[in-house]
Amino acid sequence: MSATILDGREYATAIRQELTDLAIQRNAEVGYTITLAIVVVREPNAATVNASDIYTRQLQRTAQSIGIDCRIVDLPLTITLEEFRVALHDLNEDKQIHGIIVQLPLPPHIDREVLLDTIKPERDVDGVGSFNAGSLFLNLPARVSATCAAVMEVLDRAAIPLDGKRVIIVGASTIVGKPLMLMLLQRHATVSVCHIYTQDLSLFTQQADILIVAVGKPGLITSTMVRPGAVVIDVGINVLPDGTVVGDVDFTAVREIAGAITPVPGGVGPLTNLMVIRQTLTTLDNVVFL
Ligand code: NAD
């Protein structure tokens, strides 16, 4: 029997409405239009459009459609770390700005960790700084990676129980695999994380009640690697030479084995921007940052 398709676009429609209502309420509470700052480092007047430009435009459109403002802060490729940090400090001090996103990748001369830790934890709406990473680790209120929040949202909207379930995450990056491991642990799942050095990957994946894949390799997960009835969440985004976008899971074959599966595109992806906006609209309670 074919798996249930976990339709991210359908969840996104509901979340968009919830966030639009929240934006009306929050803007009225603060007395101005809440603003998300997107910091982009690029060649001035660059002729070509890259993935980061596309993401920036999508995020801007999403923010505006929900009822918050978006400020694009363009910085030159020659910017020094100190100048960059001053620009972030200015955004930290601007009361209208409730969220700051720095588009990656950064020029090689910029120390990413030092830079990202300049963002006030409250405004770090993609959970990239060490304060939020530490808070997540300690089970304290935290801004989290929007991608991980999107995965949790899919699981929750689909009412997939997590308590005691065996979750296998394939991919151990700082932005997806590792924070997701902590978020699922907090929800009482039994979590294993696999990565490029994992030997006999299928030995792990076949045990999963819930299999989450975030690697960036099309076709990595085949149908023989999936336990019948498992929930499969594909975070991967890969553009094939012919322009087709696919995930890391062989969707056509695995949907015949799995109990539920996210498509790519149209699974986790549509929720990621919305999670950035949600974290921009909500406050982080009980956080003291010295
Ligand atoms: P990354 O390159 O930082 O990490 C990849 C991880 O996969 C590493 O931990 C690596 O050890 C592991 N890996 C590589 N080859 C492997 C193999 N053969 N077997 C097992 N593990 C292997 O990547 P990332 O930034 O975490 O992104 C992963 C994927 O998720 C990419 O396709 C990316 O485009 C996508 N992504 C999607 C969203 C979204 O919103 N849907 C957001 C971020 C990333």
Side-chain angles (χ1 to χ4, degrees), residues 147 170-173 175-176 195-196 201 214-217 220 235-237 272:
T147 307
V170 186
S173 70
I175 194 74
V176 192
H195 45 77
I196 191 144
L201 184 61
V215 170
K217 291 194 175 157
L220 178 71
V235 184
I237 302 174
T272 305

Side-chain angles (χ1 to χ4, degrees), residues 95-145:
K95 94 172 173 46
Q96 240 163 292
I97 290 184
H98 287 216
I100 302 170
I101 288 264
V102 176
Q103 288 290 37
L104 303 176
L106 295 168
H109 64 277
I110 300 289
D111 183 326
R112 178 184 151 147
E113 274 64 42
V114 172
L115 179 81
L116 296 179
D117 266 349
T118 314
I119 304 170
K120 255 190 204 170
E122 170 82 20
R123 297 182 181 201
D124 172 18
V125 287
D126 200 15
V128 290
S130 60
F131 184 91
N132 281 311
S135 298
L136 178 64
F137 185 86
L138 295 173
N139 214 352
L140 296 169
R143 299 289 192 211
V144 295
S145 140

Side-chain angles (χ1 to χ4, degrees), residues 67-243:
I68 69 171
D69 278 343
C70 212
R71 190 184 305 169
I72 311 290
V73 181
D74 268 308
L75 299 176
L77 283 168
T78 50
I79 194 163
T80 65
L81 177 61
E82 266 325 296
E83 288 165 343
F84 208 145
R85 294 189 74 203
V86 169
L88 291 181
H89 275 303
D90 289 347
L91 296 173
N92 280 339
E93 296 310 314
D94 187 326
K95 94 172 173 46
Q96 240 163 292
I97 290 184
H98 287 216
I100 302 170
I101 288 264
V102 176
Q103 288 290 37
L104 303 176
L106 295 168
H109 64 277
I110 300 289
D111 183 326
R112 178 184 151 147
E113 274 64 42
V114 172
L115 179 81
L116 296 179
D117 266 349
T118 314
I119 304 170
K120 255 190 204 170
E122 170 82 20
R123 297 182 181 201
D124 172 18
V125 287
D126 200 15
V128 290
S130 60
F131 184 91
N132 281 311
S135 298
L136 178 64
F137 185 86
L138 295 173
N139 214 352
L140 296 169
R143 299 289 192 211
V144 295
S145 140
T147 307
C148 296
V151 170
M152 298 303 289
E153 197 69 28
V154 168
L155 293 169
D156 286 341
R157 298 249 163 195
I160 291 161
L162 298 173
D163 277 49
K165 296 295 173 192
R166 179 167 291 206
V167 181
I168 305 291
I169 302 172
V170 186
S173 70
T174 309
I175 194 74
V176 192
K178 280 196 266 179
L180 204 47
M181 170 191 77
L182 293 167
M183 291 163 80
L184 287 158
L185 210 49
Q186 279 175 12
R187 297 283 299 274
H188 313 300
T190 301
V191 190
S192 303
V193 184
C194 302
H195 45 77
I196 191 144
Y197 293 105
T198 300
Q199 304 205 355
D200 199 352
L201 184 61
S202 58
L203 198 70
F204 292 87
T205 58
Q206 281 162 357
Q207 292 179 36
D209 297 314
I210 302 167
L211 175 62
I212 304 173
V213 192
V215 170
K217 291 194 175 157
L220 178 71
I221 304 297
T222 60
S223 58
T224 57
M225 297 170 80
V226 176
R227 199 175 64 75
V231 174
V232 179
I233 309 287
D234 191 352
V235 184
I237 302 174
N238 306 289
V239 184
L240 300 181
D242 69 359

